[in-house]
Amino acid sequence: MEKVKLSLEDVANLDFTTIIWIAAPVMFSLVALESYFSYKQNKKLYEGKDFLASTFIGVVNILLNGVMKLGVFAFFLFFYNITPFFIPMTWWSFILCFIALDFVRYWSHRIAHEQRFWWSTHVVHHNSEYYNLSTSFRLSWTQNLKIIFFLPVILMGFHPFVFLVIHQLEVLYQFWIHTEYIKKLPKPIEYIFTTPSHHRVHHSKNEKYLDKNYGSTLIIWDRIFGTFEEEIEKPVYGITKPIDTYNPFMLVFHEWIALFKDMTKAKSAKHAFQMAFGSPVDYHKDEMKKMKIKQAGLKNK
């Protein structure tokens, strides 16, 4: 089977938000059930303003993806058409694409936690101090910048339909792991797949849990690359430098604002680069330390 070059028109109808829209009623039904049981059992897993912020962010993200889909497709097709490789659309190509994409998603997720620029595209997913199914709706409005990380998979020559289906399934998988109702699953599942227990660790700001469990669907990448941490102590959710607001625009852009403010104060281009691609955790710890010193000084006056 020879590779046929594709045009934008050929894939224009492959709307990568379709699966999400089909799944949306089920997702909202499960959110409603979890919220109901949380209320009845006084677990306090939900907070009204936090839930509304998460939902607003999620809906805007889907709408933005719809608006930007042609740009994303154009990027994909350019590299798909120039790569000399071609993987025919068969049952095994879906499996191969899943493994390749999940591997790349592990590294893009890890980099998004290790560098401030990329953290700015991801922080909104972590700045809630609540952990429930609606937290999965918090996907950044600037996350499409991370398409650059998927370039190696695109260059492997997967058909756009294969890539888009697998990508959407990976995104949907993230929904059910954002809950405290599912504890630990049977050991074989816990060993191979990312589970709610693993992902609670990832969302925690406990010292021993920071920058752990990046796996998207498979947790084996964390086991291989030394970033796995088992859930033992109770997680405390949120980010190391909390943001005291439910304003969805601030929740999405506060890290971008802080980063650009800092970069304008940079002493050189090298210093600005270090700010943009340095560790956000180290930066926020330094900021919190400065704040505590300042507060201590005011008390002593």
Side-chain angles (χ1 to χ4, degrees):
M1 186 184 294
E2 291 186 8
K3 177 180 177 179
V4 178
K5 287 193 174 184
L6 300 174
S7 68
L8 195 57
E9 187 178 354
D10 292 327
V11 294
N13 293 323
L14 297 179
D15 188 346
F16 56 92
T17 64
T18 300
I19 300 175
I20 291 291
W21 282 117
I22 293 171
V26 177
M27 294 166 71
F28 275 103
S29 297
L30 291 172
V31 167
L33 275 175
E34 185 186 53
S35 176
Y36 171 77
F37 284 117
S38 171
Y39 173 76
K40 291 292 286 185
Q41 297 167 2
N42 198 31
K43 286 184 175 289
K44 298 179 180 177
L45 300 180
Y46 281 78
E47 198 283 333
K49 291 180 180 178
D50 182 84
F51 167 72
L52 289 174
S54 296
T55 303
F56 182 84
I57 290 166
V59 170
V60 172
N61 179 67
I62 292 174
L63 295 174
L64 283 175
N65 281 342
V67 170
M68 294 187 290
K69 74 171 185 176
L70 289 181
V72 172
F73 283 156
F75 177 90
F76 188 107
L77 285 177
F78 175 79
F79 290 101
Y80 172 78
N81 285 329
I82 66 170
T83 182
F85 304 109
F86 170 60
I87 299 175
M89 190 165 55
T90 62
W91 65 268
W92 55 262
S93 67
F94 285 88
I95 297 173
L96 182 60
C97 184
F98 163 70
I99 295 170
L101 187 57
D102 202 69
F103 175 77
V104 169
R105 282 174 64 89
Y106 165 85
W107 282 105
S108 67
H109 193 181
R110 181 169 175 172
I111 292 169
H113 278 256
E114 294 178 347
Q115 298 179 356
R116 281 187 74 192
F117 178 87
W118 296 110
W119 175 240
S120 300
T121 70
H122 183 58
V123 64
V124 67
H125 189 62
H126 285 269
N127 54 25
S128 173
E129 295 182 353
Y130 295 85
Y131 191 77
N132 54 59
L133 291 173
S134 74
T135 307
S136 66
F137 300 161
R138 290 190 177 222
L139 298 174
S140 176
W141 301 339
T142 60
Q143 67 170 345
N144 280 330
L145 289 171
K146 291 191 285 188
I147 192 175
I148 192 72
F149 292 112
F150 300 149
L151 193 53
V153 182
I154 296 170
L155 291 174
M156 288 175 70
F158 290 106
H159 190 279
F161 178 77
V162 175
F163 179 92
L164 294 171
V165 167
I166 295 300
H167 182 263
Q168 278 305 296
L169 290 176
E170 289 255 357
V171 172
L172 279 176
Y173 184 90
Q174 302 299 301
F175 171 73
W176 77 279
I177 60 178
H178 290 85
T179 184
E180 291 201 34
Y181 271 103
I182 300 174
K183 303 305 178 185
K184 293 201 175 183
L185 297 172
K187 285 186 178 180
I189 296 175
E190 291 281 337
Y191 191 83
I192 298 171
F193 296 97
T194 301
T195 66
S197 177
H198 300 326
H199 208 59
R200 285 193 291 270
V201 166
H202 179 68
H203 271 258
S204 166
K205 59 182 178 182
N206 302 39
E207 188 73 31
K208 68 179 295 183
Y209 289 164
L210 289 176
D211 296 336
K212 300 294 183 182
N213 298 358
Y214 297 111
S216 185
T217 301
L218 302 176
I219 201 66
I220 54 173
W221 309 122
D222 290 280
R223 296 185 186 278
I224 292 170
F225 298 110
T227 52
F228 176 74
E229 188 68 44
E230 189 173 354
E231 182 185 28
I232 298 175
E233 64 187 45
K234 183 175 175 57
V236 178
Y237 304 112
I239 54 179
T240 52
K241 186 182 178 183
I243 173 171
D244 186 23
T245 183
Y246 293 112
N247 182 324
F249 295 94
M250 284 304 297
L251 290 171
V252 171
F253 294 113
H254 70 93
E255 193 66 27
W256 284 115
I257 294 168
L259 174 59
F260 285 123
K261 277 184 179 178
D262 289 341
M263 290 180 69
T264 59
K265 300 172 186 174
K267 299 174 183 177
S268 63
K270 181 180 178 181
H271 187 207
F273 182 87
Q274 289 171 340
M275 284 182 174
F277 296 98
S279 166
V281 173
D282 291 344
Y283 166 75
H284 290 147
K285 282 183 177 179
D286 288 342
E287 288 294 297
M288 293 296 283
K289 195 178 293 182
K290 289 175 186 176
M291 191 180 298
K292 286 178 181 177
I293 292 171
K294 185 177 180 180
Q295 288 172 348
L298 290 172
K299 284 181 182 178
N300 293 330
K301 283 186 178 180

